[in-house]
């Protein structure tokens, strides 16, 4: 039996095995407190013809379905809640179901997402750390990872692994966060390429899709 008050590391659920090659682009977003409205605001601004977007928002199981439906109504993108294994497609958004981790896998050049039961990792299920680690395992440097408003530090482990593997990483700025905990912890770990306001995140996603947002690796990284 696990202790609900203890913080469990993603190693207990998923081994780190960073992908080092080239591949299709992928966008990953993690959020908690304040994230429901912030994610909705971003998706409302996005056009179609973007790489797949995967999102882990800390949300109870009985609310994630209605949240996915809301996002689908207000966005030009097709939004799905991940309750079974699904291939990731362009112009689509995949939301982790409440109470289930979302894990990505790779089959040849295709990405898949599937739900996975398990203990709370970094005190959450779904966990942003689990999603970010699995994204790093299948896509590595081909990822744009965004950590947004939220309490605590879930996501800081996984986004640091993505940063170390050459991914482009963004943190929402303090001024536009409801709670600056998650971005602040990721910044403190040295895991962030750029800190931007909520109103600019959509443009960063479009720039990444168009090849205009690229990580420059230097000797100090």
């Amino acid at each position: 039996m696990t202790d609900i008050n203890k913080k469990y590391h993603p190693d207990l659920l998923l081994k780190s095995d960073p992908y080092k090659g080239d591949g299709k682009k992928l966008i990953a977003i993690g959020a908690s407190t304040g994230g429901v409205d912030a994610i909705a605001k971003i998706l409302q601004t996005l056009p179609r013809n973007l790489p797949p977007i995967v999102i882990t928002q800390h949300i109870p199981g009985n609310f994630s379905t209605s949240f996915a439906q809301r996002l689908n109504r207000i966005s030009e993108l097709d939004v799905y809640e991940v309750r079974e294994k699904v291939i990731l497609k362009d112009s689509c958004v995949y939301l982790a179901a409440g109470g289930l981790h979302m894990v990505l896998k790779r089959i040849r050049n295709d990405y898949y997402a599937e739900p996975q039961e398990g203990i709370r990792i970094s005190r959450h299920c779904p966990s942003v750390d689990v999603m970010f680690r699995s994204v790093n395992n299948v896509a590595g440097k081909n990822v744009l990872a965004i950590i947004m408003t939220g309490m605590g530090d879930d996501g800081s482990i996984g986004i640091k692994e993505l940063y170390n593997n050459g991914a482009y990483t963004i943190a929402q700025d303090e001024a536009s966060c409801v709670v600056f905990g998650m971005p602040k912890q990721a910044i403190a770990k040295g895991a962030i390429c750029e800190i931007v306001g909520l109103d600019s995140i959509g443009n960063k996603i479009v720039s990444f899709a168009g090849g205009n947002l690229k990580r420059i690796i230097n000797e100090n990284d």
Side-chain angles (χ1 to χ4, degrees), residues 27 29-31 34-47 50 53 55 70-71 74-77 93 144 146-149 170 172 176 196-206:
I27 298 155
I29 300 173
V36 169
D37 290 338
I39 289 167
K41 187 172 183 179
I42 292 169
L43 293 195
Q44 284 179 305
T45 71
L46 296 178
L50 295 174
I53 300 173
I55 299 174
R70 174 191 171 199
L71 294 176
I74 66 175
S75 173
E76 293 186 24
L77 304 171
V93 178
L144 169 62
I146 304 167
I147 191 159
M148 295 176 55
T149 178
I170 285 175
Q172 184 180 350
S176 65
V196 303
L198 176 61
D199 289 343
S200 299
I201 292 176
N203 289 334
K204 294 295 181 180
I205 291 171
V206 172

Side-chain angles (χ1 to χ4, degrees), residues 217-221:
I217 308 294
N218 61 52
E219 292 180 358
N220 294 323
D221 280 344

Side-chain angles (χ1 to χ4, degrees), residues 21-211:
D22 294 320
K24 296 178 181 178
K25 292 180 180 178
L26 184 63
I27 298 155
I29 300 173
S32 186
T33 309
V36 169
D37 290 338
I39 289 167
K41 187 172 183 179
I42 292 169
L43 293 195
Q44 284 179 305
T45 71
L46 296 178
R48 293 185 67 81
N49 300 316
L50 295 174
I53 300 173
V54 291
I55 299 174
T56 289
Q57 161 72 44
H58 297 160
I59 195 167
N62 54 333
F63 288 107
S64 57
T65 299
S66 60
F67 181 43
Q69 292 169 345
R70 174 191 171 199
L71 294 176
N72 191 57
R73 285 194 304 270
I74 66 175
S75 173
E76 293 186 24
L77 304 171
D78 300 322
V79 182
Y80 302 96
E81 182 187 27
V82 177
R83 290 195 173 273
E84 61 185 11
K85 185 176 180 179
V86 59
I87 187 172
L88 304 191
K89 298 180 180 179
D90 291 346
S91 302
C92 294
V93 178
Y94 302 90
L95 178 71
L100 294 168
H101 296 294
M102 179 166 61
V103 175
L104 273 68
K105 296 186 178 180
R106 183 188 185 98
I107 300 179
R108 292 180 291 277
N109 291 323
D110 290 323
Y111 303 131
Y112 291 79
E114 63 182 20
Q116 183 171 328
E117 294 182 350
I119 62 173
R120 290 174 179 266
I121 299 297
S122 300
R123 299 193 176 93
H124 293 281
C125 182
S127 164
V128 179
D129 272 326
V130 170
M131 181 190 70
F132 279 163
R133 172 170 282 189
S134 71
V135 164
N136 191 37
N137 286 354
V138 301
K141 66 181 181 180
N142 307 292
V143 174
L144 169 62
I146 304 167
I147 191 159
M148 295 176 55
T149 178
M151 188 178 298
D153 62 357
D154 185 25
S156 63
I157 295 171
I159 203 167
K160 175 62 171 174
E161 292 172 349
L162 280 158
Y163 179 89
N164 289 345
N165 201 18
Y168 199 94
T169 57
I170 285 175
Q172 184 180 350
D173 71 358
E174 184 174 7
S176 65
C177 282
V178 173
V179 180
F180 190 50
M182 286 166 54
K184 181 179 181 179
Q185 293 301 318
I187 294 165
K189 281 183 177 288
I192 299 300
C193 299
E194 189 173 5
I195 303 168
V196 303
L198 176 61
D199 289 343
S200 299
I201 292 176
N203 289 334
K204 294 295 181 180
I205 291 171
V206 172
S207 294
F208 173 77

